[in-house]
Amino acid sequence: TITSLKKLCNPGAEVTLAQDYFIEGIVISDWRSPNMDLNQSITVNRLNIYENDATAYVQDADGSCGVRLVFDEYTDNRLCKGDRVKINVKGCHLSRNLSPDCITLRGLSWLNVEFAIHGPEAAPKEKAVSELTDNDIYTLVSLKDLEFVFKEGSYADIYEKYAPYCPAIHRGVCDAISRMDGWASLLRDS
């Protein structure tokens, strides 16, 4: 299980998994979505626009624990929401964040995926914000009694499309759009 995988690494540490170790779970993300992960900044005006495409999320069948998967090549991530997967994590790098306590597997390729069989999507757990714990990270949760503060959309100081065009920052239409994948969406707990 992903819960047992988490126990292989101490909080705040990273280990390389040297032997065959298989995890099974349900994919709760979709490789076609531009909303899986933030694209990391490489420099002040450049983004790694493939971080999102290389990232997938898998949870245990009971939804008790989840893991973030980061493939070396974004083209290897073809996992769809609802896929039942078995993954051999031998040779991958497992890191466990200290706060919040969550795990990430890096160094994956499509060869690590033993099988991916599409099935029904995982049912989300339903919780209030006050009930969330670190074990809910990278799992599917439906938040109850919650609303968006701004009904018109996300909050940003400016609408970047109205800002003056700067060739050093806006190298093309796709790059300008990917710079905006980190806008805040403010939520209010009832």
Side-chain angles (χ1 to χ4, degrees), residues 70-118:
V70 182
F71 289 83
D72 281 342
E73 298 292 330
Y74 73 94
T75 54
D76 283 345
N77 177 19
R78 290 297 177 256
L79 298 177
C80 297
K81 191 173 186 181
D83 284 351
R84 271 56 180 162
V85 294
K86 180 177 181 181
I87 300 172
N88 184 352
V89 296
K90 180 180 181 178
C92 296
H93 308 288
L94 174 65
S95 60
R96 186 169 172 187
N97 198 32
L98 186 59
S99 181
D101 187 4
C102 56
I103 57 173
T104 298
L105 269 172
R106 291 188 177 274
L108 291 151
S109 76
W110 184 249
L111 297 174
N112 292 95
V113 180
E114 295 286 318
F115 66 77
I117 302 168
H118 195 68

Side-chain angles (χ1 to χ4, degrees), residues 160-173 175-176:
E160 273 201 35
K161 293 181 181 178
Y162 293 157
Y165 179 80
C166 176
I169 296 173
H170 304 106
R171 291 188 310 274
V173 174
D175 189 46

Side-chain angles (χ1 to χ4, degrees), residues 2-139:
I2 296 167
T3 303
S4 59
L5 176 68
K6 191 174 187 177
K7 294 175 184 174
L8 296 178
C9 188
N10 293 325
E14 181 176 316
V15 296
T16 300
L17 303 168
Q19 55 190 358
D20 287 325
Y21 192 90
F22 297 90
I23 59 169
E24 292 187 34
I26 302 171
V27 178
I28 58 169
S29 59
D30 195 303
W31 69 271
R32 295 166 289 218
S33 173
N35 193 26
M36 290 299 102
D37 203 351
L38 288 175
N39 290 313
Q40 303 297 312
S41 293
I42 298 169
T43 65
V44 173
N45 59 3
R46 281 191 57 223
L47 290 175
N48 170 6
I49 61 171
Y50 300 110
E51 185 79 7
N52 176 83
D53 299 337
T55 302
Y57 300 94
V58 176
Q59 71 177 24
D60 278 332
D62 63 359
S64 61
C65 190
V67 61
R68 176 177 171 242
L69 306 176
V70 182
F71 289 83
D72 281 342
E73 298 292 330
Y74 73 94
T75 54
D76 283 345
N77 177 19
R78 290 297 177 256
L79 298 177
C80 297
K81 191 173 186 181
D83 284 351
R84 271 56 180 162
V85 294
K86 180 177 181 181
I87 300 172
N88 184 352
V89 296
K90 180 180 181 178
C92 296
H93 308 288
L94 174 65
S95 60
R96 186 169 172 187
N97 198 32
L98 186 59
S99 181
D101 187 4
C102 56
I103 57 173
T104 298
L105 269 172
R106 291 188 177 274
L108 291 151
S109 76
W110 184 249
L111 297 174
N112 292 95
V113 180
E114 295 286 318
F115 66 77
I117 302 168
H118 195 68
E121 294 179 8
K125 302 176 281 190
E126 188 173 295
K127 291 188 171 191
V129 171
S130 61
E131 299 170 324
L132 292 173
T133 67
D134 287 355
N135 285 335
D136 295 316
I137 296 173
Y138 307 145
T139 67

